[in-house]
Amino acid sequence: MRIEAVEVRRVTLPLRFPFETSFGRTTTKQFLLVGVSADGVSGYAECVADADPFYLPETNTTALHVLRDFLTPMAFALEIGHPREVLPAFARVRGHEMAKAALEMAVWELWARREGSPLWRLLGGQGGEIQAGVSVGLQKDEAALLARIEAEVAAGYRRVKVKIKPGRDVALVEAIRARFPRLPLMVDANSAYTLRDADHLRQLDRFSLTMIEQPLGWDDIVDHASLQARLETPVCLDESIRSGDDARRALDLGACRVVNLKVGRVGGFSGALAVHDACRARGAPVWCGGMLESGIGRLANVHLQTLPGFTLPGDTSASARYFEEDLVDPPVVVSPAGAIAVPEGAGIGHAIVWPRVERATDFRETWRRP
Ligand code: OSB
Ligand code: MG
């Protein structure tokens, strides 16, 4: 297969509630939607870069530049025999995993549609359902946080992740535990601490958290290994893992015992399969992270999570927690038992609502194979 055209749109969707982490507060979701076409079929994927470089270095503007000037010309030069060939073909471009992932995932989606197959089958997963979890942002105070968790548990979610940062950590977790003694609970610091905080973080050991996510530097694994040696709570890495090799190094070094796998952070589905396999070979659980995706990226996450190494609920929750109106129909919904049904239709498996995409698009460019 030869790709004939790549189309990139910038899409802006209001979030129903602001989402706050240790690195900032997001009130609108802005992302690139990438479409690829060949032989009369198109495939789509959402780029997980943000407007700002506060989570990882990429932004929508760097992703657009790298897609337009480097990745798309490389993709046009390929004769594709299988989507797994796309990420290795981008190897000369260092970094820029989110831009690579968007184009690579669009090729997988196109491939699945051509075969009339749901993405999960092409990825080697299984149909059925997946377990949903939620990520709860920093709230204005403890009472507001407890009320949010109460509502999520009532909605069926079986595992809750809360964001922490210095000054909003031990006492907060203590209050959550007092109210929800048996809830599967974890915390995510998004790199807000340093190794000097190790003794402070050790106070979290008494709350039987399932894990602490990315406490230290966004690109660190060495300090995390020192921290893990001093903590009983398992460390989970998010930001630091950008390839299968990163996962192997982190696990072999003892920097973490669990990995948050975000397909957009590891160059796409082939990178995700490499991380998944590296973790599975070492007996380390993986779970699927989220980037406040619209239904298009959210469904890609649903398909990915049907692989056997995903033994823990992830951060994939219902569309309605984020958006008044999602870009896919039906939206992603969660059952009262906390499960998401895995689509059976071709590709991502739910229809993209193009008039909604059109209304949310403020910029668009198409590149054609010369
Ligand atoms: O660290 O997992 C994170 C959202 C944006 C950037 C980073 C993270 C998150 C989340 C939200 O935790 C997950 C979601 O609900 O999509
Ligand atoms: Mg995280």
Side-chain angles (χ1 to χ4, degrees):
M1 181 184 87
R2 311 275 318 251
I3 297 173
E4 285 150 20
V6 174
E7 180 199 68
V8 175
R9 298 161 176 265
R10 193 175 65 185
V11 175
T12 306
L13 293 175
L15 285 176
R16 285 187 58 206
F17 305 100
F19 188 78
E20 189 172 335
T21 69
S22 64
F23 63 78
R25 191 179 159 91
T26 311
T27 52
T28 50
K29 173 69 186 170
Q30 190 192 73
F31 64 95
L32 300 181
L33 176 59
V34 175
V36 296
S37 313
D39 310 326
V41 185
S42 298
Y44 298 92
E46 176 168 342
C47 181
V48 301
D50 292 315
D52 49 55
F54 303 153
Y55 163 71
L56 279 173
E58 292 181 82
T59 68
N60 291 326
T61 307
T62 70
L64 180 65
H65 158 55
V66 171
L67 281 163
R68 181 205 291 121
D69 297 335
F70 300 102
L71 302 177
T72 296
M74 287 173 171
F76 283 153
L78 284 182
E79 171 67 58
I80 301 172
H82 189 278
R84 73 168 78 85
E85 296 159 14
V86 175
L87 182 59
F90 295 157
R92 194 175 175 202
V93 174
R94 294 179 177 172
H96 300 284
E97 290 82 9
M98 294 172 175
K100 289 175 180 175
L103 187 48
E104 195 252 18
M105 292 167 73
V107 174
W108 281 83
E109 217 264 332
L110 164 64
W111 202 273
R113 286 188 195 224
R114 274 164 66 106
E115 295 194 340
S117 158
L119 255 177
W120 59 260
R121 185 169 292 133
L122 191 59
L123 293 168
Q126 351 176 319
E129 58 177 39
I130 59 156
Q131 298 303 312
V134 277
S135 174
V136 177
L138 290 158
Q139 306 290 316
K140 77 173 194 310
D141 55 28
E142 188 181 295
L145 179 63
L146 292 174
R148 270 306 292 273
I149 296 173
E150 185 93 64
E152 305 297 6
V153 170
Y157 293 102
R158 305 234 190 103
R159 157 287 204 186
V160 171
K161 161 170 138 182
V162 295
K163 295 290 186 178
I164 58 166
K165 67 176 188 181
R168 310 275 292 276
D169 47 30
V170 179
L172 212 56
V173 173
E174 185 163 31
I176 300 169
R177 261 296 170 245
R179 178 94 156 259
F180 307 94
R182 269 182 284 281
L183 175 69
L185 178 68
M186 59 171 291
V187 292
D188 185 0
N190 289 107
S191 300
Y193 299 90
T194 71
L195 206 44
R196 286 186 298 279
D197 300 309
D199 283 331
H200 177 71
L201 293 172
R202 268 155 60 99
Q203 296 178 73
L204 293 171
D205 276 345
R206 65 190 145 97
F207 303 117
S208 31
L209 299 176
T210 56
M211 66 195 88
I212 175 169
E213 183 176 338
Q214 199 74 30
L216 310 181
W218 65 273
D219 57 351
D220 167 78
I221 60 171
V222 174
D223 284 354
H224 279 102
S226 307
L227 180 69
Q228 180 67 91
R230 296 168 68 181
L231 283 185
E232 274 166 40
T233 307
V235 171
C236 170
L237 290 179
D238 172 356
E239 284 89 330
S240 297
I241 306 297
R242 290 185 296 273
S243 66
D245 282 331
D246 284 346
R248 170 183 58 78
R249 287 187 278 250
L251 290 168
D252 289 352
L253 203 65
C256 64
R257 297 190 192 134
V258 189
V259 171
N260 168 334
L261 180 39
K262 292 180 185 170
V263 55
R265 201 193 59 229
V266 298
F269 285 124
S270 343
L273 293 171
V275 172
H276 171 271
D277 294 352
C279 292
R280 204 151 177 249
R282 288 164 179 76
V286 288
W287 54 273
C288 185
M291 291 293 288
L292 316 177
E293 291 96 338
S294 86
I296 298 167
R298 193 168 295 274
L299 285 166
N301 292 339
V302 170
H303 289 268
L304 178 67
Q305 282 169 87
T306 68
L307 289 164
F310 287 87
T311 51
L312 297 170
D315 281 347
T316 309
S317 54
S319 301
R321 289 187 68 245
Y322 305 85
F323 308 107
E324 216 58 70
E325 202 178 50
D326 202 347
L327 301 180
V328 296
D329 185 46
V332 175
V333 296
V334 170
S335 77
I340 297 175
V342 178
E344 285 296 326
I348 57 172
H350 292 198
I352 297 174
V353 186
W354 286 106
R356 289 185 198 157
V357 175
E358 214 54 73
R359 256 182 277 130
T361 299
D362 58 17
F363 169 90
R364 157 186 188 167
E365 250 180 68
T366 304
W367 310 304
R368 288 177 205 288
R369 181 156 55 88

